[in-house]
Amino acid sequence: NAGVTQTPKFRVLKTGQSMTLLCAQDMNHEYMYWYRQDPGMGLRLIHYSVGEGTTAKGEVPDGYNVSRLKKQNFLLGLESAAPSQTSVYFCASSEEPYEQYFGPGTRLTVT
Amino acid sequence: EDQVTQSPEALRLQEGESSSLNCSYTVSGLRGLFWYRQDPGKGPEFLFTLYSAGEEKEKERLKATLTKKESFLHITAPKPEDSATYLCAVQAVKFDSNYQLIWGAGTKLIIKP
């Protein structure tokens, strides 16, 4: 099992550009999450999904959109990137809303 | 306001020197408390879940304990490979966001040989 995978691993964007981060899990988990991690701060939840076709806002949803068209995939989109979105992005999944299993992360820099 | 605070921010120990990391929390109702380990450049790795005061969990050199206000991660006779950032997260009982974890900023543990 690969667990949770994320693509790409690194990306540099210019302000105003758009991109999509892909998360895939092979554990048949119902719940999936997108977090951002910034130095000196705890992980912050951007959006989450409790099943295929569902999404919900987390703590810091502004500037991001998500979609969960297939159970195993959870996409995070940035429509118009801003320097404040420079961060490390983690995807996670869980069978129930308890123990979460994380991917390796995507390091995004917006210049 | 729900909050999780971890201390110290960083801890340097000699190999074999036991110590404890602290996670204090204030939430309206605790559903669960989670400990994760994060290595540089990687995602957090799940370690333990604690649900009620008095509960303890162990894994190799690590033992997690829980009270009504805080959790401790005890590290006994650590080895250099235990070096990592240890994250604590709390899940509060809420009507509108049962799935949201509140994360601490982590404790960076360095074990010197």
Side-chain angles (χ1 to χ4, degrees), chain A residues 6 21 35-36 46 64 76 85 87-90 105-106 108:
Chain A
Q6 293 181 233
L21 282 67
Y35 289 93
R36 60 178 290 171
I46 304 171
Y64 305 95
L76 178 70
Q85 294 177 305
S87 187
V88 181
Y89 291 85
F90 288 102
T106 295
L108 174 66

Side-chain angles (χ1 to χ4, degrees), chain A residues 35 37 42 90 97-100 103, chain B residues 36 38 43 46 49 91 99 104:
Chain A
Y35 289 93
Q37 186 175 43
F90 288 102
Y98 300 121
E99 296 93 353
Q100 297 179 14
Chain B
Y36 285 79
Q38 186 174 23
F46 171 74
T49 307
Q91 189 170 43
Y99 313 107

Side-chain angles (χ1 to χ4, degrees), chain B residues 67-89:
Chain B
T67 73
K68 289 186 178 179
K69 294 184 179 180
E70 58 192 350
S71 176
F72 291 95
L73 185 65
H74 306 278
I75 302 176
T76 302
K79 299 181 178 181
E81 53 262 40
D82 293 321
S83 297
T85 296
Y86 290 85
L87 303 175
C88 171

Side-chain angles (χ1 to χ4, degrees), chain B residues 12-97:
Chain B
R12 293 175 183 268
L13 300 172
Q14 288 293 136
E15 183 174 1
E17 182 184 359
S18 301
S19 188
S20 297
L21 312 182
N22 178 264
C23 172
S24 63
Y25 62 91
T26 53
V27 294
S28 52
L30 180 69
R31 182 183 293 270
L33 185 141
F34 306 85
W35 281 100
Y36 285 79
R37 169 191 171 125
Q38 186 174 23
D39 293 301
K42 296 189 176 181
E45 176 187 348
F46 171 74
L47 291 173
F48 303 111
T49 307
L50 300 167
Y51 292 105
S52 57
E55 190 175 359
E56 298 183 353
K57 293 272 180 76
E58 286 191 65
K59 180 179 180 179
E60 296 181 356
R61 295 175 292 281
L62 300 177
K63 183 169 81 171
T65 62
L66 180 65
T67 73
K68 289 186 178 179
K69 294 184 179 180
E70 58 192 350
S71 176
F72 291 95
L73 185 65
H74 306 278
I75 302 176
T76 302
K79 299 181 178 181
E81 53 262 40
D82 293 321
S83 297
T85 296
Y86 290 85
L87 303 175
C88 171
V90 165
Q91 189 170 43
V93 176
K94 287 184 179 292
F95 295 110
D96 60 349
S97 58

